[in-house]
Structures are given as structure tokens and as C-alpha cells.
Amino acid sequence: LVANRLTHGKNVLGIAPTYGVLSSVLIKGTLDMLRAYRWQYKYNKSEKLLVLHKKDGTELSRAYFRSAENPELIRGITDIDVLVMDEAAVCDPLTYDIALACLRGSKVRDPQSFLITTPKGRANWTAEIYLSPDTLAIHSTIAENTTIDTKAFMEMLLKRYGEHFARQEIYAEILDSTEDGLFKTKHIDALRKEDTTWNIYRDWE
């Protein structure tokens, strides 16, 4: 996705939850794709900046890569056409809010944001965006992965995972709650209303 938008002349901000995921997944995948199609580029590892060039050597587009571990380093980046956030559900929503402010500039037209993630329950901030009527939602499961032996892989995972975890991790379902979560959606919603404390505690008894 990052490589595709770059080759169309769009400036991209790519974000991942950690520096490890950023380097081993988002950056590596982008560079591998550009190499495969023989695009000219320069990548500054220390600045996490990728500049794509036209055949004449002039700049076509650029991508800034940042980790959600330090969202303050995202501030100040401008002229971004496309935001790509990988594993968004495990990132702090503040990171997304800061990153959205980068989608501006005199030449920016029709900015886009892409949140790519495994669901983490309806209480997660990404669920609200995914379920919004203004969002173009694309749902995919492990069974649709063309790079692995999906049948054998899914059989192995199903033996290992419990039903709840399998529905989330294999079938990408947005569940009412997650196994590692304390509260269900109905409890979180109740906390936002007035005079519901007694009902919440009574429900848990």
C-alpha cells in the first residue's frame, strides 16, 4: 500500500506500534516492493525517510516512517497525502489524532488514511471508525492469505487457539470484548452515562 501510493506521486506517513514492527514489517515490505519493480529510491535509515525518484532523478514522492511509541516525533510533518497505520488497534488513539494533522499542505488533495489491524474488540478505538458509515471497510481472514498454505496453517491455529481468540485472530471478528479485557462494551457505555454505577456493579455480582 505504501509503495503503491508512492509510485502515484503521493507523500506517505507510515506508522507502526513499535520500532521493531516498523522496521521488520512496514519499512521492509515497502522497500522489497520498490526493489521488485525496480524503482529508484533513497532511504535514510536514521531519519526513517524514503524518497522515491523519477527516471530523470528528480523527486517523485516521499514517505516518513514513525513508531507509535513516540507520537510526539510525528508532529511537524506536513504535505502528507496518505496516512498508513499498521496494527492500529494496539496503537494509542492519540497517535492517530496527531497523525491526522499531518494530512495537510498546499498541494494535498483528497487526503486518505488507512488503518490496517487485527480487531481488538468493540471497546477499541478502531472499531468505532471501522463501523462508521463514512468508512470504506475491507474485511479479510487468514483463509484469504495467498502467501501461505492456509488450510494447514488454519488447522494448526485452531488447535492452539480457543474459540474466542480464534474468532478475533483468524476470522477478524470485532467481538463485544477481548479475552485480555476487563470490561465489556455494555459496561464502558454505561460508564459514560449518569447514575449508572449501581446498575454496573449489580450486573457484575
Side-chain angles (χ1 to χ4, degrees):
L1 177 58
V2 175
N4 176 274
R5 304 324 294 156
L6 285 171
T7 60
H8 284 79
K10 302 295 185 179
N11 292 333
V12 181
L13 172 59
I15 298 175
T18 66
Y19 284 104
V21 174
L22 186 68
S23 297
S24 62
V25 178
L26 198 57
I27 295 175
K28 181 181 182 299
T30 300
L31 297 181
D32 286 348
M33 188 64 69
L34 293 175
R35 291 190 195 105
Y37 286 90
R38 300 181 180 179
W39 279 88
Q40 300 179 47
Y41 68 86
K42 286 185 179 180
Y43 175 59
N44 187 314
K45 187 175 181 179
S46 62
E47 294 185 7
K48 299 290 189 294
L49 173 63
L50 168 65
V51 178
L52 199 65
H53 296 107
K54 302 176 184 178
K55 291 183 179 180
D56 62 7
T58 59
E59 181 177 324
L60 173 63
S61 56
R62 55 176 52 197
Y64 300 86
F65 295 97
R66 295 292 185 269
S67 165
E69 291 175 306
N70 194 346
E72 293 303 315
L73 293 180
I74 299 171
R75 296 185 186 276
I77 299 176
T78 59
D79 297 315
I80 297 298
D81 302 283
V82 179
L83 167 64
V84 176
M85 182 176 284
D86 192 25
E87 293 299 345
V90 295
C91 296
D92 192 300
L94 174 63
T95 304
Y96 181 61
D97 292 338
I98 294 174
L100 281 180
C102 298
L103 297 173
R104 67 185 193 275
S106 59
K107 297 182 180 180
V108 175
R109 300 290 184 272
D110 189 29
Q112 297 176 309
S113 63
F114 295 87
L115 303 181
I116 305 166
T117 191
T118 299
K120 295 298 180 184
R122 287 183 180 271
N124 187 271
W125 66 275
T126 57
E128 181 179 356
I129 295 175
Y130 179 82
L131 297 171
S132 169
D134 298 326
T135 299
L136 174 60
I138 300 174
H139 178 267
S140 180
T141 71
I142 287 180
E144 296 169 82
N145 191 328
T146 59
T147 64
I148 59 175
D149 182 347
T150 53
K151 183 178 180 181
F153 188 58
M154 286 186 67
E155 287 177 354
M156 181 272 290
L157 291 180
L158 286 169
K159 289 180 181 178
R160 176 66 181 172
Y161 294 167
E163 179 185 356
H164 188 284
F165 197 59
R167 287 172 60 194
Q168 174 179 282
E169 299 295 317
I170 299 177
Y171 301 108
E173 292 186 33
I174 299 180
L175 305 177
D176 185 63
S177 63
T178 58
E179 290 293 345
D180 57 353
L182 175 63
F183 306 113
K184 291 186 176 181
T185 301
K186 64 179 181 180
H187 297 140
I188 293 175
D189 289 342
L191 286 169
R192 294 174 177 151
K193 301 175 183 177
E194 295 181 359
D195 301 322
T196 57
T197 306
W198 168 248
N199 291 331
I200 295 172
Y201 285 117
R202 185 177 59 188
D203 193 23
W204 288 345
E205 291 178 351

